[in-house]
Amino acid sequence: MTTQSILKNAEKLVADSSVPPHLTGFTLLSEAVVLKKERSIIKLKEIYGTIAQKYNSNHCAVTRSISYAICQAQHLREYLSLSKYETAFNGKIISALALKLNSEDRDRE
């Protein structure tokens, strides 16, 4: 599977999780999910750095955009089967979406 098709699948997954697609964080979150899927042990700081470099931005701006997009998602917790008592940090959301993307890719094969 090519990186482009993985990105398309990640964007569909992020859209299905009710993250508004008009937000910058939508694109950045999709990119983060792809990076996490491709390099499963990569640290969050490296993911943000890679995305910031690609979009000529900085680590903090990427973090804020992704956080804002996650906060705007109305049904993200239900979509990822997180309880209301679990804290939804960016890293946890990115990891959960990457795992969901992995399982959906296996189902497609």
Side-chain angles (χ1 to χ4, degrees):
M1 196 174 263
T2 66
T3 304
Q4 200 67 324
S5 64
I6 294 171
L7 181 60
K8 265 203 182 313
N9 292 341
E11 287 173 345
K12 182 183 179 332
L13 183 70
V14 173
D16 289 347
S17 65
S18 76
V19 175
H22 68 279
L23 299 176
T24 303
F26 176 89
T27 305
L28 302 180
L29 181 58
S30 300
E31 294 268 349
V33 169
V34 170
L35 286 172
K36 183 70 176 174
K37 180 188 181 313
E38 289 180 338
R39 309 176 204 159
S40 61
I41 57 171
I42 195 169
K43 293 182 180 179
L44 203 55
K45 186 176 182 178
E46 293 174 34
I47 290 173
Y48 291 155
T50 303
I51 294 169
Q53 232 175 5
K54 180 177 180 179
Y55 290 98
N56 198 23
S57 185
N58 62 46
H59 181 276
C60 292
V62 171
T63 305
R64 277 193 313 269
S65 293
I66 290 175
S67 293
Y68 183 73
I70 288 171
C71 288
Q72 296 303 305
Q74 299 294 318
H75 306 289
L76 184 62
R77 286 184 174 281
E78 295 88 23
Y79 186 72
L80 296 175
S81 303
L82 298 174
S83 79
K84 65 180 180 180
Y85 303 108
E86 288 182 84
T87 307
F89 294 113
N90 287 5
K92 187 171 197 161
I93 299 296
I94 291 168
S95 295
L97 286 168
L99 285 172
K100 195 161 184 78
L101 184 62
N102 265 338
S103 67
E104 287 183 4
D105 285 350
R106 281 191 209 120
D107 291 345
R108 285 187 193 109
E109 291 176 350

